[in-house]
Structures are given as C-alpha cells and as structure tokens.
Amino acid sequence: MNNKLRILIIDDNPLDRSLIIRLLKHEFPGIETIQILGEESFNRALNDGDFNLVITDYKLSWSDGLKVLHSVKDHFPDTPVVMFTDSGNDEIAIESIKAGLDDYIVKSQEHFVRLSSAIMRILNRAEQDDKFEESTILYQKLFERVPIGLYRTAKDGKILDANPALLKMLGYPDKKSLLSINAKDTYVNA
C-alpha cells in the first residue's frame, strides 16, 4: 500500500458521493477517493487493497453497509470503516459497532461536519496504534537481546516473562521451566 491517503466512498447517491468528496478534499488536501458504484468495483478494490479507510452508506442497491463492513474487516481487520447513512437505525448502528465499525454518522446538515472530524480522529488513533506497535516491537527486541538478565513479575511473584540472558544466568533449560516458579520463593530473607 502506498503512503497516500486513499478512501473508498461507497454510496449509490452521486450527490452524496460528490458532497463527501468535496468535504474530504477540503479537509485533507492530496487525498485520493475511490468511488465504489457496485459489487464489481467493490470486489476489485478489496482485491487491490490499496486504501486506508472506507466510508459507506447503509442502504445500497447491491448490498448494505453491514455486509460491506464485514467484507472489509474480513480482508483488512485494521482498516477503519465509517457508516455515513440516513437509512439506518439504532439497531443497525449497535450491530455495526459490535462488528468493528469505527464510527456511525447520520447524514444531515448538522452531522455532515462530523464526518471530517471523525476521520481525523480515526486516522490519529491508527497512527498512535502503529507507533505503539512499533515501540512494543522495539521493546521486545531490546528485552530479548540485552546481555543482562531481565524478568517481569506480577505482584504475587509469578514470573510473567524472562529474557534469554536470565535463563542462561540461572541455568534454566527454557523459559517455560523458569515461568513455573514463583520469584518470591527465590528471594533471600535478611
């Protein structure tokens, strides 16, 4: 996937698509929007996978927003999906959110401005998640490679993790055997 922000716009109404695109291009200069007009173009977009976010209506002539959500999440679980609709209801909203929908916005003049702020919030959260995942990977590499014995315990003394240097220092054959003891049992009472 390239680094450019690419958003799928799935809506049967050309006026709504146009309004969404105009709003997005105003708020996110350089954005690329891909208009999905039917099942064939949706399947092609899913196969390409070259998009960062999906905005879908609920009621579509060829499907519905919940099916779109499930298809996107089945292929790309971390890709955000926003349902922007005037044909849904509370039950659909709740079911969609339980299925992984990132936001549900009702199409109306007063809520239209919420679309760009929702997308900004979702993109910021995705960026934070990426940074957290990156720092977790870096931490794990450091923990595993440092030549000093390190371990982590719960309050009750149960060993949660240990690095290879500690296993070697203490003479344990593998991590599983070390994790089976309680660290409190190894402390010396002074």
Side-chain angles (χ1 to χ4, degrees), residues 78-142:
D78 296 330
T79 298
V81 178
V82 175
M83 196 172 297
F84 188 57
T85 185
D86 59 1
S87 57
N89 57 42
D90 290 343
E91 291 81 27
I92 291 169
I94 291 167
E95 184 178 355
S96 299
I97 290 170
K98 285 181 180 178
L101 187 72
D102 292 270
D103 208 338
Y104 184 92
I105 303 169
V106 176
K107 281 183 191 175
S108 69
Q109 281 297 100
E110 64 213 40
H111 292 113
F112 227 94
V113 293
R114 219 182 119 224
L115 182 61
S116 58
S117 63
I119 291 170
M120 184 63 74
R121 179 183 45 76
I122 289 165
L123 294 174
N124 286 338
R125 186 181 67 217
E127 183 179 352
Q128 289 173 346
D129 289 348
D130 288 346
K131 287 179 181 177
F132 178 75
E133 185 176 332
E134 185 179 310
S135 66
T136 301
I137 291 168
L138 289 173
Y139 165 80
Q140 194 60 39
K141 284 181 182 177
L142 177 64

Side-chain angles (χ1 to χ4, degrees), residues 4-43:
K4 186 174 187 172
L5 181 57
R6 300 186 84 215
I7 298 180
L8 297 185
I9 310 293
I10 307 173
D11 197 313
D12 289 337
N13 185 327
L15 294 175
D16 286 346
R17 283 196 314 271
S18 177
L19 192 56
I20 292 167
I21 291 167
R22 226 178 21 255
L23 176 73
L24 293 176
K25 289 193 183 245
H26 175 70
E27 294 292 328
F28 306 97
I31 190 175
E32 185 176 340
T33 57
I34 302 134
Q35 296 184 50
I36 302 299
L37 306 176
E39 188 170 9
E40 186 177 317
S41 60
F42 178 61
N43 288 332

